[in-house]
Amino acid sequence: MSRAASLAALAAVLLAGSAVSETPMSNPPQEPQVGLPTPPHAPEQVAEADPYIWLEEVEGERAMAWVREQNAASLGRLQGDPLYDRLHADALALVESRDRIPTPGFRRVEGVERIDNFWQDANSVRGVWRTTTPESYATAEPAWETVLDLDALAASEDANWVWRGANCLEPQGRRCLVELSDGGKDASTLREFDRVSRAFVEGGFVLPESKGDATWIDQDTLLITRDFGEGSLTASGYPRILKRLARGQSLDQAQTIFEARPDDVFVSAFTLRDPDGTLRATLISRAMTFYTREYFVLQADGSTRRLELPQKASITGLLGDRLILTTDEDFTSGSGQSFQTGDLFSVDLDAWLADSAAPMQLILRPGPRESIEGVQITRNRLIVALYENVRGGVYVYQPTADGWTRERMDLPENVSVGLGSASELDDRVFVSINGYLTPSTLYLADASTLQAQAVKSLPAKFDAEGMEVRQFEARSADGTMVPYFVVGRSDMPMDGSNPTLLYGYGGFQVSMLPGYSATVGKLWLERGGVYVVANTRGGGEFGPRWHQAALQANRQRAHEDFQAVALDLIRRGITSQPHLGIMGGSQGGLFMGAMLTQRPDLINAAVIQVPLFDMLRYHRLLAGASWIAEYGNPDIPEERAWIQAYSPYQNLRAGQPYPEVFIHTSTKDDRVHPGHARKAAARLQELGYPVLFYENTDGGHAAGANLRETARRLALEYTYLSDRLMPED
């Protein structure tokens, strides 16, 4: 995957929650900060000054009593609305629908190619890991075989298991590490599973609940990062120690291979294998910040050697003998070649491991309004999803003796494209095509011929007759033109009367790309609402520089971009303050808080999902320290000053035109601390503002451990929005 895509995935692993608002966001793991400058206020003094610090005690008796009281009031109000039952029924039917496209994943199991899928519906609320043949998958009714039933497993073990995936050992693909989360937390348990016998391996590898991961070296050896006890975690609660675990060993017998520094973010390991599963190299990634890292190669004698790469480079994968990389900073290679921010390039793996001055080759240099949103590797080809002005195309690259050739794949244009799983046996790859009003179509493409065949299409989930998608630009405070999409009826009146929902995220180089959302369509657009997505700085829509323009001291630029879109919507007559609402989750929740405290005069509703809110304490709560590279460090006086200037919690004031807001979070969110949302609601109520607050006691950062909880959250959100923005409904 590309640097932007890998950051999005990491952000989702670290900050964002993909189930919230159907747009992911997340953050990287990190370690305890040591040697930090003396803070302007000691943590104890900050705590004493905050009357709601007790709400940070996640499952404290007093805090949970407050949560129950808030939930009772908010659920009573929203679920008592006559509209709620209709919206809930629609949401439940959508999320439990069986006519969704089952996401395919190529797998090899003992030399036979399979298509795997994880599926949830009304009968499989927690989900089922299942498999079929490629030929069967291409039919209208694939013959699925169950590999593991999560509902049955949870019932038999009296556990609230949430699926986190399976990591199988290549090339046989029989032994897998199944990752299970209790209630949706990031911390998970890993258990060895035999997918041929379809049973957990008796006496096999079992890693207890922790944040961290595991990488197969061979059938009897893992490289693992876990909570190994005192001193083994970073400030944000992620592992900093990498160990080798042999079959039959206990965790305390595992051999330490590598230790990151306590002021790093996290450490992880991964392998590079050829298409036949042969191990070519084992690499270790030491993340010093969310955006900087060093790579080390694990040598045969167990020692490690640092590789010569810029700190903002990212390893994408291996194509034949060529290592594929991207960079988010300009640099000069060991061979004297110059590369620029956003470049995609390659180097011969063996030659480079032997000599850091081995020559590198440029593959792609995106233009100023382009971004690489996905990279996939088949047996013989490199495939890139390249976006121009937030519209995607797929290009196929092939190495030659003189460089790389490039051809465009035969797919629809002016749409969103997403690269899915790729075969290692040949050059097939799944590609999804969709748009705001265009239901997803899944293609099976052959990169060697550039041809693609549609294999699955999603039926329309809402009535889009008479609707259209328009793209506009708004001028931000510093003159930067910020694109945004407007989805609604083509004949909407331009008199400011349209109920409008403006969505934003604005961080971690995560791009807000056009996509088909059945729930937005059915619960909002079909009922006369307008949906708007802002492509602000802080995201990755125009590559790394678009993101870096709103980092740390420049964070306010992203907030001004979002405000500029709201102002432009009002200026064009698309909506007006009584009919404009905003929505965002995690980093997007911070976005909503900044809009609330800086320009409450523009909005009449705000859905603030699993948010960051107290930015002076974010780095001391759960995974927060891992985001210092994005926001800055509140313990450094200069940085604290510009964080405090926009931190929503510190900027809540009496006598402002704040609308009634809807804030929700999850007790089991072990990424963004639920204390942020709780304290925001408590402070607003203290100042005399009406607040709706809901806390799901399960669900993790995605705010939904199963489909029924997800449907309830959606119905609550759109009941609230309807009440605020289309009260005549």
Side-chain angles (χ1 to χ4, degrees):
M1 62 174 62
S2 70
R3 174 67 169 166
S6 63
L7 284 175
L10 185 56
V13 170
L14 304 175
L15 206 176
S18 59
V20 171
S21 287
E22 302 173 29
T23 23
M25 134 207 182
S26 51
N27 301 31
Q30 224 169 330
E31 294 201 25
Q33 304 292 318
V34 297
L36 293 175
T38 304
H41 302 288
E44 305 77 40
Q45 293 172 313
V46 174
E48 289 174 8
D50 184 353
Y52 299 110
I53 198 78
W54 53 275
L55 286 170
E56 293 180 5
E57 189 176 349
V58 176
E59 300 200 52
E61 184 176 342
R62 183 184 178 193
M64 290 308 297
W66 181 89
V67 166
R68 288 190 291 272
E69 181 182 355
Q70 297 291 322
N71 281 354
S74 297
L75 291 177
R77 154 88 177 277
L78 293 173
Q79 291 182 328
D81 189 305
L83 182 61
Y84 174 85
D85 287 341
R86 173 157 61 97
L87 293 178
H88 181 261
D90 286 342
L92 190 62
L94 289 170
V95 300
E96 292 187 338
S97 170
R98 296 185 62 85
D99 60 1
R100 292 171 282 126
I101 295 177
T103 303
F106 282 107
R107 294 270 200 184
R108 280 181 300 178
V109 184
E110 297 189 320
V112 178
E113 191 168 63
R114 306 286 297 181
I115 297 292
D116 280 9
N117 167 254
F118 184 74
W119 182 258
Q120 293 174 289
D121 61 24
N123 298 320
S124 299
V125 176
R126 297 182 187 279
V128 57
W129 176 18
R130 58 188 188 171
T131 188
T132 190
T133 66
E135 296 75 20
S136 180
Y137 179 80
T139 66
E141 296 291 337
W144 293 106
E145 303 171 28
T146 296
V147 180
L148 179 63
D149 186 328
L150 261 287
D151 293 271
L153 180 68
S156 67
E157 297 182 348
D158 191 24
N160 187 16
W161 291 132
V162 174
W163 177 256
R164 285 287 182 260
N167 170 15
C168 301
L169 173 64
E170 297 291 346
Q172 291 303 308
R174 174 170 182 165
R175 292 296 179 94
C176 305
L177 295 173
V178 168
E179 185 175 359
L180 301 170
S181 163
D182 175 16
K185 294 183 290 187
D186 284 355
S188 59
T189 298
L190 293 173
R191 295 160 64 176
E192 187 177 4
F193 186 85
D194 185 326
R195 62 166 297 157
V196 174
S197 65
R198 298 178 184 176
F200 288 103
V201 176
E202 186 174 350
F205 288 114
V206 176
L207 303 182
E209 182 179 84
S210 170
K211 293 183 181 182
D213 55 22
T215 301
W216 289 100
I217 299 300
D218 56 44
Q219 184 164 311
D220 297 314
T221 313
L222 301 176
L223 291 182
I224 63 172
T225 60
R226 312 301 288 170
D227 181 350
F228 295 114
E230 185 177 355
S232 69
L233 298 180
T234 67
S236 42
Y238 293 92
R240 72 175 191 86
I241 298 174
L242 176 71
K243 295 191 177 189
R244 177 189 282 115
L245 180 68
R247 187 173 297 280
Q249 286 184 326
S250 60
L251 282 188
D252 58 3
Q253 294 173 319
Q255 176 191 2
T256 297
I257 298 297
F258 187 90
E259 291 193 39
R261 292 172 47 184
D263 57 350
D264 288 338
V265 172
F266 71 105
V267 67
S268 63
F270 60 99
T271 59
L272 295 172
R273 298 178 186 270
D274 67 21
D276 296 319
T278 302
L279 180 63
R280 297 288 301 275
T282 299
L283 302 183
I284 297 167
S285 172
R286 171 201 168 208
M288 294 84 74
T289 71
F290 193 90
Y291 302 110
T292 60
R293 64 198 62 215
E294 292 179 338
Y295 290 101
F296 298 78
V297 60
L298 179 61
Q299 303 184 117
D301 62 0
S303 63
T304 59
R305 177 171 59 85
R306 189 173 68 84
L307 301 174
E308 296 297 325
L309 281 174
Q311 291 187 352
K312 291 185 179 180
S314 181
I315 293 174
T316 296
L318 190 65
L319 175 63
D321 294 327
R322 292 170 171 82
L323 188 66
I324 310 300
L325 309 100
T326 60
T327 179
D328 279 5
E329 63 179 318
D330 298 350
F331 81 99
T332 301
S333 70
S335 58
Q337 299 161 280
S338 294
F339 293 91
Q340 297 180 12
T341 299
D343 282 354
L344 180 68
F345 59 103
S346 69
V347 65
D348 183 281
L349 175 64
D350 292 337
W352 183 60
L353 290 179
D355 181 3
S356 61
M360 296 178 168
Q361 284 187 324
L362 178 68
I363 303 172
L364 169 63
R365 176 164 294 158
R369 301 290 279 186
E370 293 182 332
S371 67
I372 297 172
E373 291 292 343
V375 175
Q376 190 55 279
I377 297 172
T378 64
R379 192 174 188 90
N380 305 295
R381 302 289 195 276
L382 178 69
I383 305 168
V384 177
L386 183 67
Y387 277 67
E388 183 177 11
N389 206 29
V390 206
R391 298 171 189 273
V394 175
Y395 293 87
V396 177
Y397 292 80
Q398 185 175 9
T400 68
D402 301 322
W404 291 77
T405 63
R406 162 174 146 157
E407 296 179 280
R408 187 175 178 117
M409 190 170 282
D410 185 17
L411 289 165
E413 298 185 10
N414 297 318
V415 293
S416 272
V417 297
L419 299 181
S421 182
S423 173
E424 294 180 331
L425 299 181
D426 52 33
D427 294 316
R428 291 170 298 155
V429 61
F430 285 106
V431 181
S432 63
I433 299 292
N434 72 106
Y436 290 117
L437 300 176
T438 306
S440 298
T441 297
L442 183 70
Y443 289 81
L444 182 56
D446 188 334
S448 64
T449 65
L450 305 179
Q451 299 302 303
Q453 178 181 0
V455 291
K456 303 284 180 187
S457 293
L458 185 71
K461 295 293 185 175
F462 61 93
D463 183 3
E465 181 70 28
M467 296 183 192
E468 69 174 347
V469 179
R470 285 170 271 193
Q471 188 179 34
F472 298 112
E473 288 188 331
R475 186 178 299 278
S476 193
D478 65 357
T480 299
M481 300 307 294
V482 179
Y484 65 94
F485 288 98
V486 175
V487 189
R489 300 198 62 82
S490 57
D491 61 352
M492 71 173 75
M494 305 300 277
D495 59 0
S497 65
N498 301 294
T500 301
L501 176 58
L502 170 59
Y503 185 86
Y505 183 72
F508 296 94
Q509 204 172 321
V510 176
S511 301
M512 296 292 100
L513 305 175
Y516 191 79
S517 169
T519 54
V520 170
K522 188 69 177 178
L523 305 184
W524 189 248
L525 292 173
E526 195 178 89
R527 299 174 49 241
V530 176
Y531 184 60
V532 180
V533 176
N535 301 120
T536 68
R537 284 172 290 184
E541 287 86 348
F542 299 136
R545 296 186 193 278
W546 191 248
H547 165 242
Q548 293 164 8
L551 277 179
Q552 298 201 356
N554 295 318
R555 171 61 46 177
Q556 180 61 18
R557 289 176 177 170
H559 301 151
E560 291 169 351
D561 288 356
F562 194 66
Q563 294 162 18
V565 172
L567 286 164
D568 204 57
L569 290 168
I570 294 171
R571 181 185 65 82
R572 292 179 186 274
I574 293 172
T575 193
S576 57
Q577 181 275 332
H579 300 288
L580 178 59
I582 57 175
M583 176 188 282
S586 197
Q587 147 62 31
L590 169 61
F591 231 30
M592 302 307 106
M595 175 68 109
L596 177 70
T597 53
Q598 294 179 23
R599 292 304 307 265
D601 58 306
L602 299 179
I603 59 173
N604 195 32
V607 178
I608 304 174
Q609 308 161 315
V610 290
L612 283 162
F613 222 84
D614 183 352
M615 295 304 290
L616 297 188
R617 282 183 55 75
Y618 84 91
H619 62 314
R620 300 185 182 278
L621 300 173
L622 296 176
S626 62
W627 313 321
I628 285 176
E630 180 81 7
Y631 301 119
N633 188 345
D635 289 343
I636 298 174
E638 177 188 0
E639 298 183 11
R640 182 185 182 89
W642 36 259
I643 294 170
Q644 187 164 356
Y646 70 76
S647 178
Y649 187 59
Q650 281 74 30
N651 283 283
L652 292 171
R653 300 283 185 268
Q656 302 301 306
Y658 300 153
E660 177 185 56
V661 299
F662 178 31
I663 303 172
H664 68 74
T665 186
S666 169
T667 309
K668 291 285 180 70
D669 189 345
D670 54 351
R671 189 181 309 164
V672 174
H673 197 292
H676 285 281
R678 294 173 179 179
K679 295 197 303 179
R683 176 65 173 150
L684 281 165
Q685 289 172 345
E686 175 200 338
L687 293 170
Y689 299 104
V691 178
L692 291 167
F693 176 90
Y694 172 65
E695 182 169 319
N696 183 12
T697 54
D698 279 319
H701 193 55
N706 60 58
L707 296 177
R708 290 170 190 158
E709 291 171 1
T710 299
R712 177 172 59 182
R713 173 182 61 79
L714 289 165
L716 293 172
E717 289 175 339
Y718 285 97
T719 298
Y720 159 79
L721 288 167
S722 300
D723 180 61
R724 299 292 304 174
L725 307 179
M726 46 174 71
E728 70 282 355
D729 187 273

